Amino acid sequence: MIGNQVGDTSDFGVVQMVISNDVIAGVNWTGSSTFDGTSAGFDGATGDTIMTLDKTGQVPLTIDFVLNKKGGGGSFGMVIKNMESTTVSGRVTLFY
């Protein structure tokens, strides 16, 4: 995944990471971002931050557990949240 915040040059940030989904236990990732520096981790808790896309840490990429509609387990996904009080713009590119 490659992502960045655009428009506000005072809070410009960049993230590059590799993410893998372990359907039983969580999300694995390794990469670097302007805010987090180099980071690697493993987590399965909904709402926990993986990395952020901006320089001040206000646009986090967080974990989202999605329960299978048929009730047979689920999978882990990601959600990008804007914690700023103003609108921010950015781009995220996923390669799979």
Side-chain angles (χ1 to χ4, degrees), residues 2 5 8-9 14 17 31 34 41-42 52 57-58 61 64 74-76 80 86 96:
I2 300 172
Q5 181 176 340
D8 181 357
T9 57
V14 176
M17 72 170 76
T34 305
F42 176 81
T52 59
Q58 295 297 306
L61 177 67
D64 184 32
S75 63
F76 293 90
I80 297 171
T86 59
Y96 59 87

Side-chain angles (χ1 to χ4, degrees), residues 37-54:
T38 302
S39 177
F42 176 81
D43 198 335
T46 295
D48 283 0
T49 298
I50 298 172
M51 294 180 97
T52 59
L53 279 73
D54 66 322

Side-chain angles (χ1 to χ4, degrees), residues 16-59:
Q16 295 179 326
M17 72 170 76
V18 174
I19 303 169
S20 65
N21 185 4
D22 180 334
V23 295
I24 296 172
V27 177
N28 295 292
W29 70 90
T30 185
S32 63
S33 77
T34 305
F35 179 77
D36 303 291
T38 302
S39 177
F42 176 81
D43 198 335
T46 295
D48 283 0
T49 298
I50 298 172
M51 294 180 97
T52 59
L53 279 73
D54 66 322
K55 187 168 85 174
T56 61
Q58 295 297 306
V59 185

Side-chain angles (χ1 to χ4, degrees), residues 23-24 26 44-47 63-68 73-79:
V23 295
I24 296 172
T46 295
I63 296 172
D64 184 32
F65 179 75
V66 181
L67 186 62
N68 186 317
S75 63
F76 293 90
M78 293 147 291
V79 176

Side-chain angles (χ1 to χ4, degrees), residues 1 14 62:
M1 181 186 109
V14 176
T62 60

